[in-house]
Amino acid sequence: MLNTKFMSLFEMLKTFNLIDMTATASIIILVVLIVRLLLVKLPKRYTYVLWVIPLFRLLIPFSVTSRWSLLSGFGHWFSKATDYPISSYGGRFSSSAISSVVLPSIGKSIGELPSISATTYETFAWNQLILLIWMIGVVTLWGYYGYKTFVIKKRLATAKPMGNNVYLSDRIETPFVFGLFSPRIILPEYINEDEKTYILAHERIHIKRFDSIWRVLAFIALSIHWFNPLVWISYFLSAKDMERSCDEAVIRIMGSEVKKAYSTSLLKLSAEKSAFIISPVAFGESDTKGRIKNILQYKKPSFWIGVLGIVLIISLTIMLLTNPKSIADFSGKTYEVEQIVYDSPIYSFTYSLDTAPIFTISSDMTLFRREKFDLNWGMSNGLKSIEMNQTDFDNLFMIPEDHISKLLVDNAYLYRADVDDEAHTFYLIMQQKNGDLYLTAGYDNEGGKSIRWIFKLKEMPFYRSVDTLYSYRTKYIGDNSKVGNIISYFAMPSGFDYDYFELKTKEEPYGLIVHLKAKSALRAGAKLDSTIEEMFSHNAQLALSLIENAKWVEYEVSDGYEWKETYRYERTELEATLGVKLWNQTETLDDFINLLNTVIIWE
């Protein structure tokens, strides 16, 4: 049970890409630190705002992409999700027995088949240890947070209310703001009226800017990424910039003539060490020497300096909050042809947009192709990054055209995959700097290399694919059209062609038979790989969840000669194993998606 909980938590952290998040945030923190040094003469409100960018990166597990991302130099960093070996998968894209997924947009829902080895268990033990250490760090920080909050509340039990959320206490040495959604200003009892004016102005600026909420968010980020020293640096430096920007706001409001008196008040109120800096619900005065120096040097910026600062912040926000367009943008997705950019004139056969093939690029960079009106997918070798100069690219065409040549000039990433067939087919994936994706199909044989087609690709969205599949849900197995469309979404094993299907509707229990034919003769007694049988089971689960009165799904697999195998899957047996009534779990599209993600998987 404990192992299962650890595994679930680890999978959750894997889903949120914790390591990717902290690595990306580290790059951004370094950039902010450099910018902070360059802007040392500017008011601290500008550098304080910049800390929101790494905070966002530390807390939000996703980001949009843009061509202006400052992280473009780390493009390949974003090209792959971090892979933690909880279990090794012999799934649809990695198993030689399985050619493809007919519904690849659903990804993990159908056909990924875990097989855990001794090495995997050893790896999992290390993962448990790492996870345990991380959890200890998180619990320790939040335990300290709870302890400090308890101590502060105990000290403030005797604080005297002065009105307007201001309290006086003889048990504190320095003023601070305490609380999250209803923050209170706590002042030392010995403070005089002149000092009170400045300090109240300072603390009210904290409240007006919702600094208490920002500090809690910063602490949450720190507790999650406590193992990253750069996060600690950003936590404390952002606190310094927060206090200094508040000091500057007081000077702007009350005038430069109060600099000396305000600095004197800070010096008098300063403590040797802030007792509250680690507690986000109570942040007080710290770094007195640095703050006084900053106050005395502060000059109200000119209008154009202010405009420059705003433009710089907006620019850095766009560049640092967005990821570069990279391989991660096109792997693990399915595409249809949006435009036929080039069709070689030396061939008689051609495509239209209605007949052009569909392509899938799996998460492990395997390219699959399926003709639009065929159930079988063809698989290429893995896509590999390549370099190509303009001359080599132009030589692939009989008559190079400027608009085609420009594809290479504007290319950001170039990948090639080869197919083991008689024509020596090859594909080039060309991702443009603006994010557009092109696929080039050609031949590399003894007669030379030549380009056959260039397609501009358009992603087939996940929900559109699932929505289309769900639209075929039917109560009756006799609905030939809908049942046939559901079968068209089945995963099909390599080495076999889809032949036809039969509906058994004359007597109950009703069911359907899918016929597959081997591409070559098989020896007597040959058995299919277990991954294929499990794939058949996934397909049966899918069909039975969408056809109410179907009670069984059967596969008849033959080589057209003597070899023949039958695989039958009963609704009652599958539902007993899964622990759910499949049809009842698909009453709405959301229910169906949830079923795909939580039930029709192998655990």
Side-chain angles (χ1 to χ4, degrees):
M1 179 66 72
L2 185 59
N3 280 356
T4 302
K5 290 182 178 179
F6 267 100
M7 201 167 187
S8 298
L9 180 57
F10 199 92
E11 282 291 348
M12 181 186 72
L13 295 177
K14 178 182 173 182
T15 300
F16 288 125
N17 293 322
L18 180 62
I19 302 302
D20 283 355
M21 288 169 63
T22 201
T24 303
S26 296
I27 297 170
I28 293 171
I29 290 170
L30 290 173
V31 173
V32 171
L33 290 174
I34 294 171
V35 172
R36 190 174 179 270
L37 288 174
L38 296 176
L39 302 183
V40 67
K41 296 295 184 181
L42 282 181
K44 295 300 178 285
R45 59 179 170 174
Y46 297 115
T47 53
Y48 179 47
V49 170
L50 285 179
W51 289 115
V52 173
I53 303 174
L55 178 62
F56 180 93
R57 287 289 198 165
L58 289 166
L59 293 176
I60 308 299
F62 57 85
S63 180
V64 297
T65 59
S66 82
R67 61 193 303 180
W68 299 285
S69 175
L70 198 63
L71 301 170
S72 296
F74 301 88
H76 287 279
W77 177 275
F78 299 92
S79 67
K80 296 179 181 179
T82 306
D83 184 20
Y84 304 95
I86 291 291
S87 61
S88 56
Y89 286 87
R92 59 177 64 119
F93 291 132
S94 59
S95 171
S96 61
I98 302 174
S99 65
S100 67
V101 180
V102 180
L103 184 60
S105 326
I106 294 180
K108 296 180 180 178
S109 301
I110 310 170
E112 289 184 343
L113 315 170
S115 57
I116 302 177
S117 63
T119 303
T120 303
Y121 280 119
E122 182 179 345
T123 304
F124 178 62
W126 279 106
N127 289 338
Q128 279 188 305
L129 178 61
I130 294 170
L131 181 59
L132 182 62
I133 294 172
W134 175 79
M135 289 175 63
I136 289 173
V138 173
V139 171
T140 299
L141 277 175
W142 281 101
Y144 183 79
Y145 166 88
Y147 167 74
K148 295 297 293 185
T149 302
F150 173 77
V151 170
I152 294 169
K153 282 187 174 182
K154 191 174 181 179
R155 287 188 182 187
L156 298 181
T158 58
K160 302 172 184 177
M162 304 300 294
N164 294 323
N165 262 0
V166 179
Y167 292 77
L168 290 180
S169 174
D170 59 355
R171 302 187 64 186
I172 63 169
E173 298 175 336
T174 183
F176 61 88
V177 172
F178 179 73
L180 186 59
F181 299 109
S182 298
R184 293 175 287 168
I185 298 173
I186 313 299
L187 302 178
E189 198 170 59
Y190 60 82
I191 195 171
N192 62 44
E193 289 302 317
D194 291 337
E195 294 166 344
K196 186 183 295 184
T197 301
Y198 306 134
I199 301 306
L200 282 177
H202 176 99
E203 304 301 345
R204 282 174 176 148
I205 290 169
H206 276 310
I207 294 173
K208 184 178 179 181
R209 298 190 318 189
F210 302 103
D211 282 339
S212 56
I213 295 176
W214 287 113
R215 292 313 292 168
V216 168
L217 291 175
F219 186 82
I220 292 172
L222 179 69
S223 66
I224 295 172
H225 302 269
W226 61 265
F227 51 86
N228 186 340
L230 286 174
V231 177
W232 285 89
I233 292 172
S234 67
Y235 182 82
F236 288 109
L237 288 183
S238 63
K240 284 187 176 183
D241 288 345
M242 175 186 70
E243 293 297 340
R244 293 181 185 188
S245 65
C246 270
D247 294 334
E248 293 170 352
V250 172
I251 302 303
R252 285 199 308 273
I253 294 170
M254 305 186 73
S256 297
E257 60 272 11
V258 304
K259 282 184 178 182
K260 184 176 180 181
Y262 184 42
S263 299
T264 302
S265 298
L266 287 182
L267 188 61
K268 180 180 177 182
L269 293 168
S270 66
E272 291 185 5
K273 182 179 180 182
S274 173
F276 309 122
I277 192 168
I278 194 67
S279 178
V281 294
F283 45 89
E285 318 311 323
S286 60
D287 183 35
T288 304
K289 182 178 178 181
R291 290 175 60 189
I292 291 174
K293 183 178 179 181
N294 184 66
I295 290 168
L296 297 176
Q297 292 178 344
Y298 173 73
K299 293 181 181 179
K300 187 176 181 179
S302 67
F303 171 79
W304 291 111
I305 292 295
V307 171
L308 179 64
I310 293 172
V311 170
L312 180 63
I313 289 172
I314 294 173
S315 301
L316 283 174
T317 300
I318 294 172
M319 291 188 289
L320 294 177
L321 274 185
T322 58
N323 287 341
K325 290 184 176 292
S326 67
I327 179 178
D329 298 325
F330 64 78
S331 66
K333 297 177 182 179
T334 298
Y335 299 89
E336 60 187 345
V337 174
E338 179 181 10
Q339 177 187 355
I340 301 175
V341 179
Y342 176 81
D343 190 347
S344 177
I346 66 173
Y347 298 93
S348 59
F349 174 76
T350 187
Y351 282 118
S352 67
L353 291 181
D354 291 331
T355 60
I358 295 171
F359 298 91
T360 286
I361 302 172
S362 70
S363 56
D364 63 358
M365 292 299 285
T366 301
L367 178 66
F368 298 87
R369 170 178 171 169
R370 176 172 72 84
E371 299 303 318
K372 188 162 288 186
F373 302 106
D374 189 2
L375 291 181
N376 298 299
W377 290 72
M379 181 174 67
S380 71
N381 296 324
L383 287 162
K384 295 181 180 179
S385 178
I386 65 168
E387 300 288 338
M388 181 179 289
N389 60 43
Q390 191 66 55
T391 301
D392 291 338
F393 185 65
D394 289 342
N395 287 339
L396 296 175
F397 302 88
M398 292 184 63
I399 305 175
E401 301 178 34
D402 290 341
H403 77 283
I404 295 176
S405 297
K406 195 172 184 295
L407 292 179
L408 187 67
V409 175
D410 291 340
N411 187 68
Y413 297 95
L414 185 63
Y415 296 85
R416 172 170 172 152
D418 291 274
V419 182
D420 297 327
D421 59 8
E422 293 181 0
H424 298 279
T425 304
F426 72 91
Y427 297 101
L428 298 177
I429 293 291
M430 308 175 70
Q431 187 184 40
Q432 306 299 284
K433 294 174 183 176
N434 65 359
D436 290 341
L437 192 66
Y438 292 84
L439 182 143
T440 298
Y443 309 110
D444 186 359
N445 49 41
E446 294 179 357
K449 300 178 181 178
S450 63
I451 294 297
R452 179 67 178 89
W453 287 287
I454 297 181
F455 301 122
K456 184 179 181 181
L457 301 182
K458 178 175 65 175
E459 182 185 350
M460 297 177 67
F462 169 82
Y463 285 104
R464 197 184 83 185
S465 299
V466 178
D467 182 72
T468 302
L469 173 58
Y470 184 71
S471 69
Y472 302 132
R473 185 176 186 262
T474 177
K475 291 185 175 183
Y476 307 109
I477 194 169
D479 191 334
N480 188 77
S481 175
K482 288 187 175 181
V483 173
N485 279 307
I486 291 171
I487 293 173
S488 74
Y489 280 78
F490 282 4
M492 298 293 173
S494 62
F496 295 87
D497 288 325
Y498 168 78
D499 197 5
Y500 64 97
F501 70 90
E502 294 180 74
L503 301 181
K504 296 298 183 179
T505 59
K506 289 185 178 181
E507 58 183 26
E508 295 189 29
Y510 303 135
L512 65 96
I513 303 175
V514 179
H515 292 265
L516 303 182
K517 184 177 291 186
K519 293 181 179 180
S520 57
L522 298 175
R523 61 180 173 78
K527 296 291 184 182
L528 295 185
D529 187 276
S530 61
T531 56
I532 296 179
E533 293 185 47
E534 290 172 310
M535 181 180 62
F536 288 167
S537 178
H538 281 292
N539 291 339
Q541 294 169 32
L542 182 66
L544 296 172
S545 71
L546 295 174
I547 309 169
E548 183 180 18
N549 69 340
K551 303 301 181 184
W552 52 269
V553 175
E554 185 173 293
Y555 276 87
E556 284 195 7
V557 190
S558 71
D559 63 355
Y561 299 100
E562 296 183 358
W563 182 85
K564 184 177 180 180
E565 288 286 327
T566 300
Y567 300 87
R568 186 179 174 105
Y569 303 90
E570 300 281 350
R571 177 185 291 274
T572 53
E573 294 178 2
L574 290 174
E575 291 182 340
T577 301
L578 297 172
V580 297
K581 296 292 184 181
L582 290 169
W583 173 259
N584 295 342
Q585 299 299 314
T586 61
E587 291 185 357
T588 67
L589 176 59
D590 288 340
D591 290 339
F592 180 52
I593 293 171
N594 183 62
L595 179 74
L596 292 174
N597 288 323
T598 60
V599 178
I600 306 183
I601 55 176
W602 289 90
E603 298 181 336

